[in-house]
Amino acid sequence: MFLWENSTFGELVIYYEKFSIKGREKLKEIQREFDWSIEQLDWLIACIGFESQFKPRARNKISKATGLIQFMPLTAEYLGTTIDALLEMEDYEQLEYVKRYFKPYAHRIESLEDMYMAILMPRCIGKTPDANVFSSYKAYKQNIILDLNKDGKVTIEEATARVRRIYDSGKSLN
């Protein structure tokens, strides 16, 4: 963990070392633009860790989701790029698209669960931890690995459990 350079917070940012110098600058820009706390930035970083293991070239072979937050092809197009273009980008370049993606949700994020729901299922931002994330059987089957108790539904708490472990691990290293 590293001190957030030139920060008035004097706090640590989790997994800072996983990003290039330009990537770190882009993270600072995202934090400033959305007026996020260090904790909110840590939530985003934990989500990136879960979705891509901090690798901008991560790609899901089945869904074609690509990059730091696993952009789906239609999402990439909506943001003005393609998954193939994202695959070629460095972390700092891709973080610009992460910022664009989060713009409509940034001021609604009040928890780690909200941050991850912004990525996985934005309609679930602000819902209770026991809320069911997937309304269709197809979506559930594509995400069945998140159903920790194998009861046929994925709650926000279950969906976020692995992200929470990444976040907690990062905080314990501070």
Side-chain angles (χ1 to χ4, degrees):
M1 299 315 109
F2 297 87
L3 281 174
W4 193 246
E5 297 166 21
N6 302 320
S7 171
T8 58
F9 299 108
E11 298 178 70
L12 299 175
V13 175
I14 65 172
Y15 304 111
Y16 190 66
E17 73 279 3
K18 301 285 188 183
F19 297 89
S20 69
I21 291 171
K22 288 183 178 180
R24 295 170 193 173
E25 289 301 316
K26 196 63 165 176
L27 287 167
K28 288 180 194 179
E29 179 184 313
I30 290 168
Q31 180 193 12
R32 281 190 306 268
E33 183 163 321
F34 296 148
D35 195 27
W36 280 351
S37 67
I38 294 290
E39 184 174 39
Q40 286 170 303
L41 188 62
D42 283 346
W43 297 337
L44 173 62
I45 292 169
C47 290
I48 289 171
F50 175 67
E51 288 292 311
S52 65
Q53 294 76 52
F54 307 102
K55 297 174 186 168
R57 289 175 180 80
R59 179 175 262 179
N60 182 305
K61 292 176 185 169
I62 297 169
S63 71
K64 305 293 186 220
T66 301
L68 293 172
I69 61 169
Q70 294 292 280
F71 295 96
M72 294 297 288
L74 287 175
T75 303
E77 288 179 35
Y78 173 77
L79 296 171
T81 190
T82 66
I83 57 171
D84 291 331
L86 287 165
L87 198 59
E88 299 301 317
M89 292 181 192
E90 298 298 324
D91 64 352
Y92 67 94
E93 296 168 306
Q94 215 175 93
L95 283 166
E96 175 60 31
Y97 291 95
V98 170
K99 181 176 81 171
R100 290 180 194 180
Y101 177 82
F102 271 93
K103 191 169 180 117
Y105 313 115
H107 297 291
R108 296 174 47 206
I109 295 171
E110 297 180 8
S111 66
L112 175 64
E113 291 74 16
D114 287 345
M115 186 70 74
Y116 189 55
M117 286 304 105
I119 296 168
L120 182 65
M121 190 63 65
R123 69 171 173 74
C124 290
I125 296 171
K127 293 196 176 183
T128 61
D130 62 339
N132 187 10
V133 177
F134 303 109
S135 57
S136 77
Y137 182 71
K138 180 182 178 186
Y140 168 76
K141 288 301 277 184
Q142 290 173 335
N143 293 279
I144 198 167
I145 195 167
L146 299 175
D147 184 2
L148 300 180
N149 65 4
K150 308 298 182 215
D151 67 350
K153 69 176 185 172
V154 176
T155 65
I156 290 172
E157 183 176 31
E158 287 175 309
T160 310
R162 291 183 177 114
V163 179
R164 171 126 344 251
R165 282 197 293 276
I166 292 168
Y167 174 78
D168 289 345
S169 293
K171 293 307 267 186
S172 73
L173 295 174
N174 282 351

